[in-house]
Amino acid sequence: MIDLKSMSQQEITDLMRSLGQPAFRGKQVFIWLHKGARSFEEMTNLPKPLRESLAQTCQLTPPKVARKQISRQDGTIKYLWELADGNCIESVLMRYHHGNTVCISSQVGCRMGCAFCASTIAGKVRNLTPAEMLDQVLFTQLDSGLEISNIVLMGIGEPMDNLDAVLKFLELVNHPDGMNIGMRHISLSTCGVIPGIRRLAELGLQLTLSVSLHAPDSETRSKIMPVNRAYDVEELFAACHDYFRKTGRRISFEYAMIDGVTDHDWQADLLARKIQGMPGHVNLIPLNDVVESPLKPSKRVAAFQRRLESHGITATVRRSLGGDIDASCGQLRRKAMEEAKKGEDSQ
Ligand code: SAH
């Protein structure tokens, strides 16, 4: 089956030509797909025989809402989507003053192994296709009725471990005949896969790069983030400085505050020193308590923030949304998996 929705408008146009259709059909089909058409039958401006032949050769499998939780505190909506092959992924819709932001997944599971993260506990199952990333944005918008203006690639998975598909997704979601979401409204978060950062720097996209740093020293970082053993924090900072030189874009450093592990004053001092020379921004994240992990939230967030600021580094504390609905990375999928397992065990 052809994955039509993962194709660019040019690729769809070429396909239409190969089927003996005029070129403008490519644009028509692209527009239908990006409006969230659920079947070819709906595409009423296409000739019926074309619709029938597309239905036979192309897959059009929108995700199903497996679960949906709405936070009573702040209106955050968490979706658990069931994909065509039965796998589940999460997206979260957050309502900020500057617009509605959807946080999407890039893989089913994750193989990066960060000690504090629920998404990686059961490993990686597979990569998502560009269409499956696009569908998260599209169907979150359609289901909620809320217009999405911003996207963050901070859900389940490591975007740089699936970079070809992620880049294709960015092209699709940015297209004027599609959702038309500007690059400046998109953030991509990585745990520090250096070749990916370098590749992105070459492309010079205007998106915001977020680097999940969580510790400024190799020893601590290697303990909580295995990726650091392959791509050391020293090289990571070098790649970040290069990224800024090439793109002129400020990098956002994500920093989870973990009690007794990442919250020491000397780490704030070291972090400030390493960012020096580029306009980096530090986003301090109060650790979300994951039941499976012994790591606990720090009580020193404000002191750490002041310490960074005393070195001239801007730091904000991430406001926690959806605390009542398991809205942190991978938790809802994890819960659904556990419940499914319990269901099987009791049979
Ligand atoms: N793989 C990418 C994107 C997904 S994770 C990355 O690592 O950046 C999105 C963010 O949530 C990352 O910064 C990740 O480190 C952070 N995160 C994961 N589990 C967390 C937890 N329990 N508490 C706080 N932040 C967490």
Side-chain angles (χ1 to χ4, degrees):
M1 289 295 240
I2 299 170
D3 179 11
L4 201 60
K5 213 176 192 172
S6 286
M7 290 163 71
S8 66
Q9 191 174 117
Q10 187 56 52
E11 287 165 339
I12 299 175
T13 302
D14 293 344
L15 179 73
M16 291 301 134
R17 280 222 186 84
S18 75
L19 296 171
Q21 294 289 327
F24 67 83
R25 296 271 181 243
K27 181 167 174 165
Q28 287 179 320
V29 170
F30 186 90
I31 289 173
W32 278 113
L33 293 173
H34 290 249
K35 271 205 303 212
R38 289 169 182 277
S39 72
F40 290 101
E41 217 29 55
E42 287 173 41
M43 304 184 182
T44 44
N45 57 357
L46 305 183
K48 203 157 194 313
L50 175 63
R51 279 186 263 159
E52 283 167 1
S53 90
L54 290 177
Q56 274 165 18
T57 52
C58 301
Q59 65 186 40
L60 197 68
T61 38
K64 287 196 276 266
V65 180
R67 286 190 193 197
K68 178 177 172 183
Q69 298 183 333
I70 305 176
S71 166
R72 252 169 268 154
Q73 294 164 0
D74 50 46
T76 298
I77 308 178
K78 181 138 194 172
Y79 288 97
L80 185 74
W81 302 106
E82 187 184 328
L83 305 173
D85 65 357
N87 275 306
C88 287
I89 48 160
E90 295 171 35
S91 317
V92 186
L93 173 65
M94 294 162 290
R95 310 186 61 178
Y96 292 113
H97 295 298
H98 62 265
N100 296 317
T101 299
V102 66
C103 173
I104 65 162
S105 299
S106 56
Q107 297 177 315
V108 179
C110 183
R111 62 185 182 120
M112 294 297 144
C114 298
F116 43 81
C117 182
S119 300
T120 197
I121 294 173
K124 173 180 142 179
V125 179
R126 67 170 175 86
N127 283 330
L128 293 184
T129 63
E132 287 168 330
M133 288 182 252
L134 179 71
D135 278 344
Q136 293 174 64
V137 186
L138 195 50
F139 289 103
T140 294
Q141 176 165 290
L142 290 173
D143 183 89
S144 67
L146 298 166
E147 192 172 326
I148 307 279
S149 51
N150 300 280
I151 301 171
V152 294
L153 278 144
M154 289 190 188
I156 298 172
E158 168 51 47
M160 300 258 181
D161 190 35
N162 185 20
L163 194 51
D164 288 335
V166 165
L167 292 174
K168 193 69 176 281
F169 156 71
L170 292 174
E171 181 190 339
L172 295 177
V173 81
N174 183 233
H175 199 287
D177 293 332
M179 295 199 78
N180 197 16
I181 296 181
M183 284 293 171
R184 285 175 182 269
H185 294 261
I186 301 178
S187 294
L188 185 155
S189 183
T190 178
C191 63
V193 179
I194 294 175
I197 295 176
R198 297 213 177 271
R199 191 168 157 204
L200 211 56
E202 292 302 325
L203 293 172
L205 301 176
Q206 292 298 296
L207 53 73
T208 300
L209 178 65
S210 285
V211 173
S212 299
L213 190 70
H214 304 325
D217 59 296
S218 281
E219 196 187 330
T220 310
R221 197 163 190 271
S222 286
K223 273 191 202 139
I224 54 174
M225 301 180 74
V227 68
N228 195 71
R229 295 173 213 154
Y231 302 115
D232 186 77
V233 66
E234 299 297 330
E235 292 161 49
L236 177 57
F237 270 103
C240 289
H241 281 276
D242 284 347
Y243 183 90
F244 171 67
R245 273 193 292 274
K246 287 226 165 72
T247 63
R249 302 284 297 160
R250 181 178 86 160
I251 294 178
S252 170
F253 293 98
E254 308 300 309
Y255 196 99
M257 294 295 292
I258 308 175
D259 185 38
V261 181
T262 66
D263 61 350
H264 301 290
D265 278 345
W266 64 265
Q267 285 167 318
D269 299 343
L270 185 60
L271 175 57
R273 206 156 61 234
K274 293 200 162 157
I275 295 176
Q276 226 59 262
M278 71 173 150
H281 173 92
V282 178
N283 201 2
L284 297 173
I285 315 173
L287 186 77
N288 263 309
D289 221 341
V290 172
V291 280
E292 290 92 338
S293 162
L295 301 172
K296 294 295 154 218
S298 166
K299 295 173 198 76
R300 302 199 66 248
V301 180
F304 198 89
Q305 180 184 24
R306 278 195 303 274
R307 188 102 182 172
L308 283 172
E309 282 172 347
S310 75
H311 295 294
I313 301 290
T314 59
T316 47
V317 180
R318 185 184 286 175
R319 196 159 59 97
S320 173
L321 293 177
D324 53 336
I325 57 164
D326 305 308
S328 93
C329 213
Q331 288 187 2
L332 182 59
R333 173 170 175 262
R334 195 76 211 125
K335 204 166 164 184
M337 280 162 72
E338 286 294 326
E339 285 172 14
K341 209 164 132 246
K342 274 192 205 123
E344 276 169 23
D345 290 349
S346 63
Q347 270 170 13

